[in-house]
Amino acid sequence: MHIDIISDIVCPWCLIGKRRLEKALAARPALDVTIHWRPYQLHGELPPEGMARAEMLVQKFGSIEGAAKIYQRVSQAGAEDGLVFNFDRITRAPNTLEGHLLIKWAGSAGCQDQVVEDLFTAYFVKGEDVSDRSVLLSVARSNGMDDALVEQLLDEGRDRDTISQEINAVRQMGVTGVPVFVFDKRHALSGAQPSDEIIAVLDQIQAKSVN
């Protein structure tokens, strides 16, 4: 079974959805599953260097206090899946385009899922700026990728148009929020659904493939 995950690395629900998918797959260990992460940008309008997170939150939610209430609910949901979000450590709202480039290249290097996990950790746990080249190169290096080559490709602008086209194509399909899980390119599940619901989808697809 092939699963495409449309996601952004600054989306907390995408990390929650990842954990719930992992829990569902652990409940069905016999399934032969491949996962591919696909790009989406919640804030593609941000400049390449990003902006102060406090400023972005006011623009998006109207006030810091309003944003805090929303993220408190996110933290509570994450805690149910063993996740800790350190939102107070995040000072920058990053443009995630180069992060998605790293994720794309990690697919060729065979370490895509772990790179995604490390980028989530860098942002939501450590509060790091995932548009910062040093952060991206550190993640690449820790996963056995050639960080000098990654830096060269970033400097060259390699695959930028490809990533932008993929994001635009997803939007044209009607995707306005993430995560979205696409199973075998036919069955889509939107949002960070409970693991039981994901298991039900897995079982349904598996049953159809057998019949």
Side-chain angles (χ1 to χ4, degrees):
M1 184 183 299
H2 182 82
I3 305 175
D4 287 298
I5 307 175
I6 304 169
S7 166
D8 195 4
I9 52 179
V10 295
C11 166
W13 289 108
C14 293
L15 177 52
I16 293 172
K18 183 177 189 292
R19 282 294 180 276
R20 293 176 178 177
L21 174 65
E22 290 166 350
K23 183 178 179 180
L25 293 176
R28 294 293 183 269
L31 284 179
D32 183 13
V33 174
T34 59
I35 294 174
H36 186 80
W37 291 84
R38 299 198 174 275
Y40 189 85
Q41 283 192 290
L42 292 173
H43 310 295
E45 75 285 353
L46 290 176
E49 69 277 9
M51 67 187 297
R53 184 169 183 266
E55 182 180 350
M56 188 274 289
L57 291 178
V58 171
Q59 291 181 5
K60 184 174 182 179
F61 299 110
S63 69
I64 297 295
E65 294 75 19
K69 292 179 181 178
I70 291 171
Y71 285 112
Q72 183 179 14
R73 291 195 291 270
V74 173
S75 293
Q76 291 171 347
E80 295 175 3
D81 290 282
L83 293 168
V84 176
F85 290 99
N86 293 320
F87 291 116
D88 58 325
R89 294 186 181 179
I90 303 172
T91 61
R92 299 290 296 173
N95 185 307
T96 57
L97 182 62
E98 290 197 344
H100 286 302
L101 288 168
L102 177 60
I103 292 169
K104 176 180 176 62
W105 300 330
S108 300
C111 55
Q112 191 178 60
D113 196 72
Q114 189 58 51
V115 164
V116 171
E117 181 72 24
D118 288 353
L119 289 171
F120 278 139
T121 298
Y123 186 67
F124 289 118
V125 178
K126 300 177 182 178
E128 295 178 342
D129 181 355
V130 288
S131 66
D132 187 312
R133 286 279 182 92
S134 65
V135 174
L136 297 177
L137 295 176
S138 175
V139 169
R141 187 166 51 251
S142 67
N143 283 281
M145 298 176 69
D146 185 337
D147 57 324
L149 176 59
V150 169
E151 185 171 26
Q152 176 185 332
L153 295 176
L154 290 172
D155 286 339
E156 293 174 356
R158 184 77 61 88
D159 292 326
R160 283 177 180 268
D161 289 344
T162 300
I163 289 293
S164 296
Q165 288 168 7
E166 284 190 38
I167 293 170
N168 288 334
V170 166
R171 287 181 176 143
Q172 289 172 6
M173 290 166 52
V175 174
T176 58
V178 285
V180 176
F181 302 88
V182 183
F183 302 85
D184 284 342
K185 301 187 183 300
R186 295 193 304 271
H187 309 275
L189 188 64
S190 297
Q193 301 299 330
S195 298
D196 288 347
E197 293 191 24
I198 300 175
I199 290 171
V201 172
L202 296 174
D203 289 347
Q204 181 183 22
I205 295 171
Q206 185 69 4
K208 287 182 178 179
S209 67
V210 172
N211 295 332

